[in-house]
Amino acid sequence: MGFKEAKAMVLDCLVSGHVLHEERGSVDITNLFATGLVTVKEAAQIIGRSAGSDYCCSPHHFDRDIDVHVIRTMHSGRRWYIKWYFLGPDSVFISFHH
Amino acid sequence: MKIVKVGDTQQAACHQCKRFENVTYKLRDVPFSDGKGVVKNVLVGVCDCCDSVAVLPHQSTPVVRKQLQTQRRALESRVPAHMVDILNLASVEISGGTEFVPGLIKFYIHSLSTNDISPRGISKYLGSELARGKSQKRISIKGRLVAKEFDHLKKVTKINSTTDLIKGVVLKINDDVLVNKKLKTIKALKNIVAATI
């Protein structure tokens, strides 16, 4: 899966509300999307304006068939780091911070 | 919006088991990752194998936000207009702009409450000419620690009024950064600016 397809899919998930946040026994306060400090609309804007040069992808540590997508992009003067993967119909966000 | 219910199940990555496992949605009290506070009674996906929290559905984020903000109690006060000018000037001195004002106040509240900067003498500022004036502008500071540290500082300085203590902190900043230009403090502040702005 390339950048355009991953971006289109994650934006679809944001629109349809198929969004989960990966946690490790606690609520990760650095994940601003999980803590509600970034809204769905803001998340879609940040991801939507990212470019292919902001994107990279690597296999998930637990299952190499699952791609983990990473966007590092500037938005409103901040450098954002966003990491997620797709699981069935859902986007599962691992990181969303600046 | 996808809505999950208590008892629903799905697959999720479990970092305790280090593999994808079946999770069941349950209501749990879940701590924040920095150990400061708990989100009570929130719907999360719990690993069927090890019982640890593996996933948070997006529908639970308003509850997380509410409880996080409750713990990030804002510190608010009205002060004379020149106090805000002092903070702006001090911030410009350190960072070149006014965006560091909240960070500057938080740095001082933290340093004074931990005695990294001595809080002795804060009360003496309240008798100075600069402490006077009609309170016309509002100062509002938010942070996970700031309210707790400010309460501690009240006890240490024996200044019970929030407004008076904020005035004392602002005038301490004035003394250190603008009047005496304490190099050690300014250097520490500039390091924070370099790391955050």
Side-chain angles (χ1 to χ4, degrees), chain B residues 111-134:
Chain B
S111 300
L112 290 165
S113 70
T114 56
N115 208 29
D116 288 338
I117 294 176
S118 173
R120 280 187 302 170
I122 289 281
S123 55
K124 80 170 191 243
Y125 293 115
L126 299 178
S128 70
E129 179 63 28
L130 279 176
R132 295 179 197 151
K134 192 177 175 187

Side-chain angles (χ1 to χ4, degrees), chain B residues 38-108:
Chain B
V38 173
V39 189
K40 291 186 176 173
N41 215 23
V42 64
L43 188 65
V44 286
V46 177
C47 177
D48 288 353
C49 191
C50 71
D51 204 41
S52 73
V53 174
V55 72
L56 178 87
H58 197 71
Q59 71 194 59
S60 293
T61 59
V63 176
V64 174
R65 181 189 165 110
K66 188 180 174 189
Q67 299 208 21
L68 192 61
Q69 287 189 330
T70 302
Q71 290 165 36
R72 287 184 175 197
R73 183 162 55 94
L75 192 62
E76 293 193 350
S77 184
R78 290 188 74 81
V79 294
H82 65 269
M83 297 265 173
V84 174
D85 294 339
I86 287 170
L87 292 169
N88 286 338
L89 282 171
S91 178
V92 168
E93 177 85 13
I94 292 157
S95 68
T98 58
E99 66 276 11
F100 188 58
V101 166
L104 178 62
I105 302 176
K106 280 194 250 185
F107 172 87
Y108 262 85

Side-chain angles (χ1 to χ4, degrees), chain A residues 5-66:
Chain A
E5 194 181 348
K7 180 171 157 179
M9 275 180 71
V10 73
L11 291 174
D12 280 349
C13 287
L14 291 171
V15 170
S16 64
H18 282 84
V19 175
L20 301 171
H21 305 281
E22 189 175 293
E23 305 292 2
R24 300 182 179 194
S26 58
V27 175
D28 178 8
I29 63 159
T30 66
N31 183 340
L32 302 181
F33 198 19
T35 55
L37 299 177
V38 167
T39 64
V40 168
K41 189 179 173 186
E42 288 165 337
Q45 282 175 345
I46 296 166
I47 294 169
R49 289 178 189 171
S50 64
S53 55
D54 302 329
Y55 171 81
C56 66
C57 170
S58 60
H60 197 290
H61 292 309
F62 299 163
D63 185 340
R64 296 189 67 80
D65 290 336
I66 294 175

